[in-house]
Amino acid sequence: MTTRQPTIWKPATWPLHTRIGVALGAVGSLLLGVVAVSAALQVESRRAQNVVISDYYDALRTSQSYLLAMVNSETAVRGYALSGDKSMLEPLEQAGQPWNTSIEPLIAAKVPKETMPTAELQAFETASATWYREWAEPTIRQTELKQPPSRAEVERGQQLFTQVRVAYDRYIAVLRKGRENTTSHLMEVTDLLFVAVIASALIAVLGGVLLWYLMRRWVNKPVSHLASEARLVSDGSVEHEVSTLGPPEFVRLGEDVNAMRERLVTQIAASEAAGRAVAQARAALEEQTVELQRSNTELEQFAYVASHDLQEPLRKVASFCQMLERRYSGQLDERADQYIHFAVDGAKRMQQLINDLLEFSRVGRLTKPRTDVDLMDCLRNGLFNLQTAREESGAEVTWDELPHVLGEAPLLTQLLQNLIGNAIKFHSDEPPRIHIGVRRDGDDWEFWCADNGIGIEPEYADRVFLIFQRLHAKETYSGTGIGLAMCKKIVEHHGGRIWVDEPAHGASPSGTTVRFTLPVERIPAVPEPTESTELSDVAS
């Protein structure tokens, strides 16, 4: 069994955030340490400054006040002894008996314990008490008894007070020495604080430079390298493999870019292959389109020519059948008369079918230049052509104000005429009520022809637009079944579409609404005249 070796986390494999964190931590820790030392030195400097400026000043002022009180007392006692004037003792009374008061607590509260001149202060206070006890007090009593002191006693008092001065000088010397030591300490702390501030500034500057260098090495250089590699690929060198350097994040980013490049190479190859396939398919489609156009042209020519060629023999058949019907009607038996009637009726319907087929084949083939067409004129012409049918059926036709469109006026007239004619033909027991409506729908005009006729079942909504498709027997409704197919071809020839509205779900058909659209096109200011070549009718 093998033991797994621990993973060594080398700095070269550290992520970028770890590297930045370590660098910031090191610089920050060093700077924080210097700032902490600076703060401690600042506190110590403030303390020493307060001791030198405030505490020692108060101690020296208190000591000087004590000495001044002793000097005033000595002068007052000596003057009283020499003059015997009681008023000379007033300074003694104002001094507050300093020989009976110790200033040691006041001095100890101000001066640091390690520099407190306790022995010298006690010696000074002892000398002051000794002067008063051994000379001042006895001299005052003797003077009050009119026994002034002798010169020797006065000199002895001066000597005792000289000891007081000597003790004071020793005490003050020690106190000032302590102040000087504290002042020296303050200067040292101030110098160290200055050094710490300079060190903090240097560390901040050097740390910023170090971080700038590291960021340039860890971020700028890898990013610039990766950007140059990506530019090579974007400039067209898609086969160039992207190399990376720097922290693991940039290495992974480079690997992702390289993987994207490989996918791009694959997609480009697939796109080129697809492009070639599309080009081949387009070429085949164009060939098929040309072939289809040729075939459609031939079929249209065939239908047109065939329709014309069938007219002449069909006229002869119809003419002779009608002659037989007129000449021999009633001379033959009833069955013969019926056969002759069937032949005449079939010839007439055949002629109608051929004429309708001929008109259907002409739509879209014998085109004329599109002009500005007023649909209101087309509607009026269509209604005029249907005047007899409208009067016989009692039809009422209403309409909205129809717009102008670009198109062929005869075809659009036939479109409206066929729709209204169908609505009149397939009416219910009630007189036909027909409405032609219009509304703007974006880039199209949407028209509709709504009636109250027998309606169309939903399953036959698409079938009615097929040529020669009938939903009723010819004995019930006349016609060849080409009317709506003609409408569909005219609408599509003008760039629109046509459909039948379906009745609501579960409702029985009641009336029919046929809708169609025509483009809203800009009407040219000056239409250019064009010539259209139509095939001349083969049969008159």
Side-chain angles (χ1 to χ4, degrees):
M1 180 178 179
T2 59
T3 59
R4 183 178 180 181
Q5 296 295 330
T7 301
I8 301 177
W9 209 26
K10 298 180 180 180
T13 63
W14 287 359
L16 179 61
H17 65 88
T18 302
R19 298 185 183 191
I20 295 176
V22 171
L24 289 176
V27 175
S29 298
L30 186 59
L31 187 61
L32 184 62
V34 176
V35 170
V37 172
S38 300
L41 290 174
Q42 179 68 19
V43 172
E44 178 61 20
S45 174
R46 287 291 185 88
R47 188 197 66 79
Q49 186 177 11
N50 186 65
V51 170
V52 172
I53 296 176
S54 180
D55 293 344
Y56 271 105
Y57 175 77
D58 292 342
L60 288 173
R61 187 179 61 179
T62 301
S63 301
Q64 289 175 355
S65 298
Y66 187 91
L67 176 62
L68 181 61
M70 288 298 299
V71 170
N72 292 335
S73 299
E74 191 271 336
T75 302
V77 174
R78 185 157 48 85
Y80 178 59
L82 293 177
S83 64
D85 186 0
K86 190 78 171 178
S87 62
M88 297 296 290
L89 292 179
E90 289 181 1
L92 179 66
E93 295 174 356
Q94 296 174 357
Q97 300 183 0
W99 53 85
N100 288 329
T101 304
S102 176
I103 62 172
E104 183 178 356
L106 298 176
I107 303 302
K110 297 293 183 179
V111 178
K113 184 178 180 180
E114 61 274 9
T115 59
M116 176 66 185
T118 304
E120 289 78 2
L121 179 56
Q122 290 177 355
F124 169 57
E125 291 179 346
T126 300
S128 299
T130 300
W131 168 82
Y132 182 79
R133 187 178 60 253
E134 294 184 0
W135 185 80
E137 188 178 14
T139 299
I140 292 173
R141 286 199 300 268
Q142 290 178 6
T143 303
E144 289 176 350
L145 296 174
K146 305 299 183 178
Q147 298 177 359
S150 61
R151 176 176 287 277
E153 290 177 347
V154 172
E155 292 179 354
R156 178 172 171 271
Q158 290 178 348
Q159 292 176 355
L160 289 175
F161 199 79
T162 299
Q163 293 178 1
V164 171
R165 286 183 175 276
V166 171
Y168 174 77
D169 291 339
R170 291 174 181 171
Y171 156 68
I172 287 298
V174 175
L175 190 62
R176 287 176 176 170
K177 182 64 177 177
R179 183 183 182 187
E180 292 175 357
N181 292 337
T182 305
T183 302
S184 299
H185 176 66
L186 174 61
M187 296 301 297
E188 293 175 357
V189 171
T190 303
D191 293 340
L192 289 176
L193 179 60
F194 178 76
V195 172
V197 171
I198 296 299
S200 299
L202 289 175
I203 291 174
V205 172
L206 293 177
V209 172
L210 176 62
L211 290 175
W212 173 82
Y213 169 76
L214 293 177
M215 292 298 291
R216 181 178 177 83
R217 179 178 178 182
W218 292 341
V219 178
N220 290 3
K221 188 176 180 181
V223 168
S224 299
H225 176 75
L226 183 58
S228 63
E229 294 287 291
R231 277 194 296 271
L232 286 176
V233 175
S234 65
D235 290 340
S237 302
V238 293
E239 299 297 334
H240 175 72
E241 184 174 356
V242 177
S243 62
T244 56
L245 51 84
E249 291 90 343
F250 292 102
V251 173
R252 289 193 293 270
L253 179 59
E255 293 174 351
D256 293 340
V257 172
N258 197 56
M260 182 176 63
R261 178 194 62 81
E262 293 176 352
R263 289 195 297 270
L264 182 61
V265 170
T266 304
Q267 291 175 359
I268 290 175
S271 177
E272 291 176 350
R276 291 191 294 270
V278 168
Q280 295 174 357
R282 183 183 294 111
L285 181 60
E286 291 176 354
E287 293 178 359
Q288 293 176 358
T289 302
V290 172
E291 181 64 22
L292 181 61
Q293 290 176 347
R294 185 189 61 79
S295 176
N296 288 339
T297 302
E298 291 178 353
L299 287 175
E300 290 175 355
Q301 294 287 345
F302 172 77
Y304 183 80
V305 174
S307 299
H308 282 72
D309 291 345
L310 290 176
Q311 291 283 355
E312 185 61 27
L314 188 59
R315 285 195 186 96
K316 291 182 179 180
V317 171
S319 297
F320 283 109
C321 288
Q322 290 173 356
M323 290 174 62
L324 285 174
E325 185 178 26
R326 288 195 300 270
R327 179 171 296 182
Y328 298 103
S329 176
Q331 298 182 18
L332 302 175
D333 59 6
E334 182 179 354
R335 184 178 295 274
D337 290 340
Q338 186 179 12
Y339 289 163
I340 292 174
H341 174 73
F342 287 161
V344 172
D345 182 66
K348 291 180 179 179
R349 287 193 295 108
M350 186 64 182
Q351 281 184 322
Q352 184 62 41
L353 284 173
I354 291 174
N355 290 331
D356 290 345
L357 181 61
L358 183 61
E359 291 295 326
F360 186 81
S361 66
R362 285 176 174 173
V363 176
R365 182 173 60 84
L366 302 178
T367 60
K368 296 180 180 180
R370 293 191 179 186
T371 58
D372 178 20
V373 178
D374 185 356
L375 290 181
M376 289 301 301
D377 291 341
C378 296
L379 178 61
R380 283 190 285 269
N381 293 335
L383 291 176
F384 178 79
N385 296 335
L386 295 171
Q387 183 174 357
T388 302
R390 289 190 294 122
E391 292 175 351
E392 292 177 352
S393 63
E396 178 184 341
V397 182
T398 59
W399 56 84
D400 297 338
E401 186 65 27
L402 302 183
H404 288 231
V405 297
L406 282 180
E408 299 181 35
L411 294 181
L412 295 175
T413 300
Q414 187 174 8
L415 168 65
L416 295 174
Q417 180 177 326
N418 285 0
L419 292 176
I420 297 173
N422 265 14
I424 294 175
K425 180 191 298 184
F426 298 102
H427 66 82
S428 60
D429 296 336
E430 300 178 359
R433 298 292 180 265
I434 305 165
H435 179 73
I436 304 297
V438 63
R439 72 181 183 90
R440 178 74 177 265
D441 184 15
D443 294 334
D444 292 324
W445 292 111
E446 181 181 320
F447 303 87
W448 62 89
C449 177
D451 61 53
N452 62 342
I454 61 176
I456 299 175
E457 295 291 341
E459 58 267 26
Y460 303 122
D462 293 330
R463 180 180 170 185
V464 294
F465 295 106
L466 299 179
I467 189 171
F468 299 138
Q469 292 295 315
R470 298 176 55 90
L471 303 182
H472 307 279
K474 63 180 182 295
E475 292 81 6
T476 306
Y477 295 99
S478 63
T480 59
I482 202 173
L484 289 179
M486 180 74 74
C487 292
K488 183 174 186 294
K489 193 168 185 181
I490 293 173
V491 169
E492 292 179 349
H493 173 66
H494 284 79
R497 62 189 185 93
I498 188 169
W499 70 97
V500 176
D501 274 359
E502 295 185 4
H505 181 70
S508 60
S510 178
T512 302
T513 300
V514 179
R515 295 181 183 270
F516 65 95
T517 62
L518 293 176
V520 178
E521 300 184 31
R522 301 182 67 180
I523 301 175
V526 180
E528 298 181 1
T530 59
E531 296 183 357
S532 61
T533 303
E534 298 186 5
L535 293 175
S536 60
D537 292 345
V538 175
S540 58

